[in-house]
Structure formats: C-alpha cells, structure tokens
Amino acid sequence: MLYDAADDPASLSTAELREAYEAQIRRAVERVGVETAAERTGVEESDVAAVADGPAPDLRLEDAAELAALDGDAPDAETIVLEIRDHLLLGMTTGVLDVDTIASNVDLDLSGQEIQQAIEGRSAMTLRELAAIQRYIEERNDR
C-alpha cells in the first residue's frame, strides 16, 4: 500500500510518484467520503478535502496511511507505515545504499541522518520525502 502505487516508480519523477500515492489515497477517501474520512482518521477535514480535490497538501506519512487504510482491502495504518519502512530498508539493502548516498542524490534539504530518522520513524516523513527517497532507491535498483 502506497509504496506499490506505481508499477515502475523508477520511471517516474518524484512529483509523478507522489501523485500516484495521492491517487491511491484519493480513491480511499472517495470510498467513504470526506467527512467520514476525517472522523475515522483524525486528519483535519480541510486536509482530507484537499486530498479529495487534489492536489493534496504535503501530508505526513502517518496521515496518508490513515487515509489509505480506509480502502476496504487495505491493512491498517500502522501496517501500511511499517510496510513502507520495510520496503525502503529492503531496497537500500538490495541496492547497497546508505543514507548519505540517498541524501546527496535526492532533491530534499535533509542530511543522511535526517533521512535515516525519517525512514526509521524517529522523525516525520512527508509524502514528498517518501516519493523522493523511494524513487531514488528504485532507480538505483533498476541499474
């Protein structure tokens, strides 16, 4: 969920990958409606409405997972977040990547330590950051 929003993330730009995440979240919100989504998740109704109307605000991963979990076939939000983190870490292992390499190759104003903290869940990660990190990892693994 979310990390599988696009068939070939490496072929997309960071913005396109983020749009794929948003489309997946949008479908889940449309399924239950904006008001119900806000009530069930605790995400601000204005943010949920923005997701429904697109383009979405730069949601934190946890909020995006809460909304994505509204899809009837989706796991719960905590599982979605853990799967995303596992997917990123597995991709880093496969590509023999460290966080400093990622930091120097993505258009984020984050250090390697900050990327590590975001991936591990010790600091917040936004969908924009997730898209940049996932895209770079996937691109490296496609070489």
Side-chain angles (χ1 to χ4, degrees):
M1 198 79 218
L2 290 183
Y3 68 83
D4 63 355
D7 290 333
D8 186 8
S11 69
L12 303 176
S13 69
T14 298
E16 290 169 330
L17 184 54
R18 180 179 163 194
E19 288 170 19
Y21 301 151
E22 290 176 8
Q24 198 174 63
I25 296 165
R26 190 172 298 111
R27 284 190 297 275
V29 169
E30 288 171 353
R31 185 178 165 273
V32 298
V34 170
E35 188 174 311
T36 300
E39 289 172 5
R40 287 187 189 173
T41 63
V43 177
E44 291 291 325
E45 189 168 339
S46 60
D47 288 342
V48 177
V51 167
D53 294 335
D58 202 11
L59 293 173
R60 290 177 349 166
L61 173 58
E62 290 77 10
D63 291 341
E66 287 284 339
L67 295 171
L70 295 171
D71 187 332
D73 296 331
D76 64 85
E78 182 180 358
T79 301
I80 292 171
V81 170
L82 292 174
E83 285 178 354
I84 289 169
R85 289 185 183 137
D86 286 349
H87 185 78
L88 294 174
L89 290 169
L90 181 60
M92 288 174 65
T93 301
T94 302
V96 191
L97 286 168
D98 61 61
V99 291
D100 292 322
T101 301
I102 294 171
S104 65
N105 286 282
V106 295
D107 188 20
L108 300 172
D109 192 23
L110 298 175
S111 68
Q113 181 180 10
E114 290 168 319
I115 287 178
Q116 179 176 350
Q117 290 171 346
I119 291 172
E120 292 176 348
R122 294 185 288 135
S123 67
M125 181 184 328
T126 65
L127 285 183
R128 182 178 66 83
E129 292 166 345
L130 172 61
I133 293 167
Q134 181 184 5
R135 190 202 161 286
Y136 179 72
I137 291 170
E138 298 285 346
E139 177 190 30
R140 257 310 271 272
N141 288 336
D142 275 0
R143 291 183 184 172

